[in-house]
Amino acid sequence: MSREQQRTTSAPAELTAEQRTWLGQASRREVDGWIHVAVNGSPAARGFQYGYLVASEYAESVRVYREMTYQTIGMDYDFFVARANELHADHVGDELREEMEGIAAGLTAAGVPATFHDVLGINDWMELTGYWWPKHSGRYGAVAPTGAQGSHCSAFIATGSATVDGSIVMGHTSFTDFWQGQFENVILDVTPEDGNRMVMQTAPGWIASMTDFWLTGAGLAICETTISGYDGSRGYDETRVPEFVRARKACQYARDIDDWIEMLNTENNGGYACSWLIGDIKSGEIACHEQGLLYQGLTRKADGYFWGDNAPRDPRIRNLECRATGFDDVRSPNGAREVRWQQLLAEHDGHIDDDAARRMLGDTFDPYLDCVNPSARTICAHYDADPCQFNDVTAFSPHGSVDGKVVGSADVESMSLWARFGRADGAEFIAEDFLRAHPQWTWQRGCLEDRPPRPWAHIRPAGAAAGRSR
């Protein structure tokens, strides 16, 4: 599809009787900035439901992705869509291909013309721009490969004596560029014909979470923090299966932690290298699985906690597959959060519940300056407020915390979650105010949206009792 075609919308199509039946079995509702979408059935049915119900948001996200891909990389968005189909169309598998074709059909029926190739393109964009492009950019005239992966997300998971009642508690806040994070407000509840039911945070048209925050019907709670400094120019194999396919398969079909890790590692291509935090409410066990291309590390326990701050702990991954992780530099975002997570989790040890989790995710204490100072170095990252005079991060970048999610074992069992859309500490972001204060970013005007203060909302399955806010 050409760029001009992609920008064009049309009148919604007349639905078939089958399509009307499918839509009658799905739902969409909005909760404090989140879009909760519940879909079910065959791959074609659940795909169609999903595409139809998020069509307008998908169209807007592609408009912004087009502009920002060109502005930040210098290559057209369509270039990466073409590479996705050239490299990975054959790695999607029959079930997910049928689901993605269903998404395209639903989008088209809602007046947003799309094909399987378009849906694959947006699903593969993050991996291709972050891992494939650094490896191959020199072939296309880039002066030097784009740098290694930056800092994305703060997270923890706790169990046993660390929590109030001995059950699992998990919390996660996503860090990303604001233009991208503003679309990651979909809570997708998928009940497939085969495999586990899944609840995930995602964006319109994505078939995996990719933020990553998952609950599964097997009793698993899963999140991750991206491995910072990971060198995609060397640690990426485009001939294997992309991460979004492996993560989706693992969440849909894994029965326990071992099963999940085995599926994620099968045909691992090094794409979107992460430190994964996984909990199994059936056993009360938690695990930290660090996955590079050449090396993987696994630690597990039934008592205590793990945390994630983008700095890998496995010495092989940190030293042989990464550069400049900031692991032990408290001036850096990663090193500072490595210190702060230890302080916070020790302070709350034995008393961790969903309230404590929400407070920790919204923490803005800067351990380098030893005071409250919302900045790139805090658990709830405020890159946009940070002059970054103490490190080499770009000053006042529109990047940082864009959400917060918390679950306990009871939430996992009921497929519910606490979620805040916007910064984890609730601080607002007003795009025009930011651009007036920092005109070096005015080239993002028209692509940045406001994120007003919003409460934490308890988001439950469609048809359940109304959630509450805090």
Side-chain angles (χ1 to χ4, degrees):
M1 180 179 295
S2 71
R3 180 184 304 180
E4 192 59 38
Q5 287 174 312
Q6 182 68 59
R7 286 174 175 165
T8 302
T9 59
S10 58
E14 183 71 27
L15 299 179
T16 67
E18 182 180 47
Q19 290 169 342
R20 288 196 298 271
T21 298
W22 286 346
L23 290 175
Q25 297 167 347
S27 67
R28 169 184 165 139
R29 59 194 170 100
E30 299 186 16
V31 184
D32 292 318
W34 296 98
I35 302 169
H36 183 276
V37 177
V39 301
N40 62 82
S42 69
R46 64 184 186 251
F48 185 89
Q49 294 162 354
Y50 181 27
Y52 194 90
L53 292 174
V54 299
S56 62
E57 290 83 8
Y58 169 88
E60 176 62 8
S61 72
V62 171
R63 180 191 73 80
V64 173
Y65 268 69
R66 285 187 178 283
E67 178 65 21
M68 297 306 292
T69 299
Y70 184 65
Q71 290 289 345
T72 58
I73 298 176
M75 302 294 285
D76 289 340
Y77 176 82
D78 290 334
F79 169 83
F80 291 102
V81 173
R83 299 292 79 70
N85 284 275
E86 171 190 310
L87 297 169
H88 291 150
D90 292 340
H91 292 299
V92 169
D94 292 343
E95 181 183 17
L96 291 185
R97 185 183 184 105
E98 186 177 349
E99 184 174 321
M100 294 165 80
E101 288 172 345
I103 293 170
L107 291 167
T108 300
V112 181
T115 66
F116 163 80
H117 300 291
D118 299 314
V119 177
L120 176 58
I122 200 164
N123 275 273
D124 216 9
W125 183 91
M126 199 178 302
E127 181 169 307
L128 292 181
T129 57
Y131 294 81
W132 178 86
W133 178 246
K135 182 177 179 179
H136 295 283
S137 58
R139 294 163 47 192
Y140 299 90
V143 174
T146 304
Q149 283 296 304
S151 298
H152 298 274
C153 311
S154 290
F156 82 92
I157 193 167
T159 192
S161 65
T163 67
V164 166
D165 59 4
S167 65
I168 290 173
V169 178
M170 183 177 78
H172 181 271
T173 173
S174 306
F175 298 174
T176 190
D177 292 334
F178 290 166
W179 69 262
Q180 185 177 7
Q182 65 200 15
F183 297 110
E184 295 169 1
N185 67 331
V186 176
I187 303 296
L188 181 62
D189 185 339
V190 183
T191 304
E193 285 183 327
D194 299 314
N196 303 316
R197 179 181 170 190
M198 296 162 284
V199 170
M200 68 184 88
Q201 179 198 6
T202 189
W206 291 359
I207 63 165
S209 171
M210 294 192 285
T211 46
D212 276 287
F213 193 89
W214 304 79
L215 311 178
T216 85
L220 300 182
I222 303 145
C223 70
E224 53 85 0
T225 62
T226 310
I227 291 178
S228 182
Y230 187 80
D231 189 354
S233 66
R234 293 180 296 177
Y236 182 69
D237 183 351
E238 59 267 35
T239 68
R240 295 183 181 179
V241 178
E243 183 270 348
F244 78 88
V245 173
R246 291 181 286 111
R248 166 60 190 268
K249 181 179 178 181
C251 290
Q252 184 171 343
Y253 288 104
R255 297 162 296 181
D256 53 33
I257 292 173
D258 290 323
D259 217 13
W260 193 91
I261 291 172
E262 181 180 355
M263 291 183 186
L264 189 74
N265 281 338
T266 300
E267 283 295 299
N268 169 33
N269 68 344
Y272 218 71
C274 295
S275 297
W276 292 93
L277 304 181
I278 316 152
D280 186 341
I281 66 169
K282 301 185 301 296
S283 64
E285 186 180 34
I286 60 175
C288 177
H289 174 60
E290 295 190 314
Q291 185 187 58
L293 176 64
L294 302 177
Y295 304 102
Q296 291 83 46
L298 175 63
T299 310
R300 52 205 307 168
K301 61 182 67 170
D303 192 76
Y305 44 73
F306 295 112
W307 64 91
D309 50 40
N310 309 121
R313 288 172 185 78
D314 189 302
R316 300 167 303 168
I317 297 174
R318 189 171 67 246
N319 293 292
L320 302 178
E321 295 194 85
C322 300
R323 25 187 187 108
T325 65
F327 178 71
D328 49 11
D329 185 354
V330 74
R331 298 170 302 174
S332 76
N334 298 354
R337 287 179 294 132
E338 178 74 13
V339 170
R340 187 57 180 158
W341 268 129
Q342 294 179 66
Q343 294 171 342
L344 282 172
L345 289 165
E347 176 186 336
H348 290 88
D349 195 1
H351 307 284
I352 298 174
D353 58 9
D354 57 6
D355 284 326
R358 289 190 290 268
R359 290 195 302 273
M360 286 192 284
L361 291 181
D363 185 77
T364 55
F365 186 88
D366 182 337
Y368 178 59
L369 298 182
D370 198 31
C371 64
V372 172
N373 175 50
S375 67
R377 290 180 299 280
T378 53
I379 298 297
C380 176
H382 286 247
Y383 283 70
D384 53 313
D386 195 338
C388 297
Q389 68 267 49
F390 306 116
N391 53 53
D392 59 0
V393 177
T394 301
F396 304 116
S397 174
H399 179 98
S401 171
V402 294
D403 59 51
K405 295 87 57 183
V406 169
V407 292
S409 291
D411 295 310
V412 179
E413 187 171 7
S414 65
M415 305 298 276
S416 306
L417 69 155
W418 284 98
R420 168 178 266 171
F421 186 61
R423 261 187 259 259
D425 65 350
E428 70 180 359
F429 174 78
I430 305 300
E432 202 54 42
D433 290 350
F434 172 80
L435 294 175
R436 277 196 298 268
H438 306 290
Q440 67 270 34
W441 299 102
T442 53
W443 56 273
Q444 292 196 14
R445 181 173 279 120
C447 292
L448 283 179
E449 296 179 1
D450 296 344
R451 287 179 294 117
R454 290 189 174 98
W456 284 91
H458 196 225
I459 301 177
R460 301 182 180 183
R468 59 193 187 277
S469 298
R470 291 184 180 176

